[in-house]
């Protein structure tokens, strides 16, 4: 999540009108109730960037869906007027640019579409696409059809509008303290943040109010197991208790990890039973040949057949390397380059990621 958020221009009037609806006669009264400065409130109401924690706090006070009203810069204002067809330096967050993983998606959504919701782990090497898969789980079922590829499956859940998804980037330092993480989860679920926001109060709030299917996506669990003493075994024990005993089957965790969560926790000195509740693990690596060809075929400029075969051979169907090779081929075509120099450059570009390829 970015360090600051701002209200999208089309929602500013809605945000301003929420003051009166929620019993705030003035901007100062909202500032006082939120324990924030008046300048922060004014910036929020006029669409200027403010710290994301303050943004979520004000949305909670005004009964607003922060995800709805947030200005989405990457989606609404791409630099060159269109989104990049091949994404290599960041997780894929827009479903139309995500390819493959059909087998894993079927299994994961089968665990999440029935009651009780069940937990799962996504296992894979660095840069294998774990984060992109978590984003896809969160977004695919509610993305409008016009923003998907024509043949893209999105009806994975019978009533997707009933689900709540919380994506937690555990590499974000703000998610590595107990209070910061608990507060973020509650704000994302539009639940009142207690004072103090400690583990006992968090458990009470969620136990009493979570009545809808909820999936908490924990990205890169290994980071906090190794570095964050506040997230100790008592913390993880409480999350396990919450999911298994206190939310009536409405809560599931899906995490990403380079290895089985129980093994990772054990090597980091944790023995909480939380890490044993992940009865299904999706091990992700290469795409299938059909999935790899679909990704290549999404290029806005079709590739010659011999280039397609070269890309398949040298990528071994690994998604990141496929994206890099396709990016280089597309760039050469757009620049009108007719020789094979793009292949030499492609091999140089994938050199840092050859650990993904078979030995």
């Amino acid at each position: 999540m970015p360090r600051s958020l701002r209200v999208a221009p089309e929602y500013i009037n809605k945000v301003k009108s929420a003051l009166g609806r929620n019993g705030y006669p003035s901007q100062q009264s909202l500032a006082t109730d939120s324990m924030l400065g008046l300048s922060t409130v004014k910036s929020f109401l006029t669409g200027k960037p403010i710290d994301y924690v303050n943004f979520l706090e004000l949305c909670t006070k005004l009964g607003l869906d922060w995800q709805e009203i947030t200005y989405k810069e990457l989606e609404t204002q791409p630099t060159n007027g269109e989104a990049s067809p091949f994404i290599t330096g960041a997780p894929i967050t827009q479903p139309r640019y995500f390819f493959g993983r059909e087998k894993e998606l079927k299994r994961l959504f089968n665990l999440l579409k029935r009651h009780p919701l069940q937990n799962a782990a996504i296992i894979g090497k660095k840069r294998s696409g774990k984060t992109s898969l978590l984003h896809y789980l969160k977004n695919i079922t509610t993305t409008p059809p016009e923003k998907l590829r024509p043949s893209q499956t999105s009806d994975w859940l019978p009533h997707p509008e009933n689900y709540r998804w919380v994506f937690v980037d555990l590499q974000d330092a703000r998610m590595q303290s107990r209070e910061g993480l608990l507060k973020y989860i509650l704000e994302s679920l539009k639940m009142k943040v207690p004072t103090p926001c400690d583990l006992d109060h968090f458990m009470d709030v969620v136990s009493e109010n979570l009545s809808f299917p909820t999936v908490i996506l924990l990205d890169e669990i290994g980071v906090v197991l190794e570095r964050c003493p506040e997230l100790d075994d008592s913390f993880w024990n409480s999350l396990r208790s919450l999911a298994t005993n206190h939310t009536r089957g409405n809560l599931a965790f899906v995490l990403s990890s380079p290895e089985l969560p129980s093994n990772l926790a054990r090597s980091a000195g944790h023995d909480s039973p939380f890490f044993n509740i992940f009865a299904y693990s999706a091990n992700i690596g290469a795409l299938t040949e059909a999935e790899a060809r679909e990704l290549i075929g999404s290029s806005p400029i079709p590739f010659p057949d011999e280039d397609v075969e070269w890309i398949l051979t040298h990528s071994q169907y690994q998604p990141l390397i496929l994206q890099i090779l396709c990016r280089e081929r597309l760039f050469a075509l757009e620049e009108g380059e007719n020789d094979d120099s793009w292949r030499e450059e492609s091999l140089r570009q994938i050199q840092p990621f050859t650990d993904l390829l078979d030995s």
Side-chain angles (χ1 to χ4, degrees):
M1 174 173 288
R3 293 187 178 276
S4 62
L5 300 174
R6 64 188 179 98
V7 176
E10 63 268 27
Y11 289 104
I12 288 177
N13 288 337
K14 178 178 180 179
V15 170
K16 290 181 177 179
S17 65
L19 273 173
R21 290 201 311 271
N22 288 274
Y24 294 106
S26 66
Q27 296 179 13
Q28 182 61 63
S29 63
L30 175 59
T32 301
D33 187 44
S34 305
M35 293 185 289
L36 299 172
L38 180 58
S39 62
T40 298
V41 172
K42 288 183 176 179
S43 294
F44 173 76
L45 294 173
T46 54
K48 296 177 181 177
I50 65 171
D51 182 82
Y52 96 102
V53 172
N54 296 337
F55 188 95
L56 297 183
E57 174 69 18
L58 291 170
C59 286
T60 299
K61 293 291 185 182
L62 296 176
L64 297 167
D65 182 343
W66 72 271
Q67 292 176 311
E68 176 189 6
I69 69 170
T70 300
Y71 177 70
K72 301 173 180 64
E73 184 172 358
L74 290 179
E75 292 184 5
T76 58
Q77 294 217 348
T79 301
N80 61 355
E82 61 180 354
S84 174
F86 300 114
I87 300 169
T88 59
I92 296 169
T93 58
Q94 297 183 55
R96 72 174 297 118
Y97 301 109
F98 182 94
F99 291 85
R101 310 300 186 199
E102 290 294 314
K103 176 183 175 182
E104 292 82 3
L105 287 166
K106 288 178 182 178
R107 293 293 300 274
L108 290 165
F109 277 116
N110 277 338
L111 296 174
L112 299 174
K113 72 181 182 181
R114 297 184 177 93
H115 195 269
L117 277 64
Q118 299 180 58
N119 309 289
I122 297 172
I123 312 298
K125 295 180 180 180
K126 288 183 178 180
R127 301 176 294 271
S128 60
K130 301 187 297 296
T131 302
S132 295
L133 180 53
L134 290 179
H135 280 295
Y136 194 76
L137 286 171
K138 176 178 179 290
N139 296 326
I140 181 59
T141 60
T142 54
T143 298
E146 62 271 16
K147 293 187 177 181
L148 300 174
R149 301 189 303 276
S151 60
Q152 203 165 0
T153 301
S154 62
D155 57 346
W156 296 103
L157 297 172
H159 298 287
E161 68 280 1
N162 294 335
Y163 281 69
R164 301 294 184 271
W165 301 83
V166 181
F167 179 90
V168 183
D169 178 7
L170 292 172
Q171 296 184 98
D172 185 334
R174 294 164 297 182
M175 300 297 105
Q176 295 175 5
S177 72
R178 183 178 289 194
E179 182 179 3
L181 178 53
L182 297 180
K183 183 176 181 181
Y184 171 74
I185 292 173
L186 291 174
E187 289 170 334
S188 298
L189 295 175
K190 304 178 193 175
M191 294 181 182
K192 183 175 177 61
V193 177
T195 303
C197 189
D198 56 20
L199 194 54
D200 288 345
H201 287 94
F202 171 85
M203 293 284 288
D204 288 341
V205 171
V206 177
S207 299
E208 294 169 6
N209 294 283
L210 196 145
S211 58
F212 38 79
T214 299
V215 185
I216 297 179
L217 307 164
L218 299 173
D219 192 29
E220 295 295 350
I221 191 77
V223 173
V224 293
L225 291 179
E226 296 174 355
R227 305 177 189 171
C228 305
E230 288 189 37
L231 305 184
D232 55 13
D233 281 345
S234 66
F235 174 85
W236 299 113
N237 291 345
S238 295
L239 292 192
R240 180 187 186 277
S241 178
L242 193 65
T244 57
N245 298 318
H246 300 296
T247 49
R248 301 160 291 283
N250 286 316
L251 176 62
F253 292 92
V254 179
L255 60 77
S256 73
S257 170
E259 58 182 288
L260 287 172
S262 55
N263 294 344
L264 196 65
R266 193 178 305 112
S267 65
H270 293 269
D271 61 4
S272 169
F274 173 81
F275 300 101
N276 298 320
I277 65 175
F278 299 90
Y280 172 70
S281 59
N283 292 276
I284 64 171
L287 303 181
T288 67
E289 180 179 348
E291 292 168 345
R293 288 185 180 276
E294 185 183 12
L295 191 159
I296 296 170
S298 69
S299 172
I301 303 176
F303 298 161
D305 291 344
E306 61 270 23
D307 291 337
V308 171
E309 298 306 318
W310 188 91
I311 290 171
L312 289 171
T313 298
H314 286 82
S315 70
Q316 296 181 19
Y317 310 156
Q318 290 290 341
L320 174 61
I321 296 180
L322 275 165
Q323 297 272 6
I324 293 173
L325 299 181
C326 288
R327 178 196 68 195
E328 293 303 314
R329 186 63 187 112
L330 178 61
F331 179 77
L333 289 171
E334 289 176 334
E335 293 299 306
E337 299 173 5
N338 298 317
D339 57 20
D340 287 338
S341 59
W342 70 272
R343 295 187 179 185
E344 181 179 350
E345 178 63 18
S346 294
L347 294 177
R348 188 180 72 82
Q349 291 291 338
I350 68 172
Q351 187 59 41
F353 312 111
T354 52
D355 61 302
L356 293 170
L357 300 174
D358 296 336
S359 57

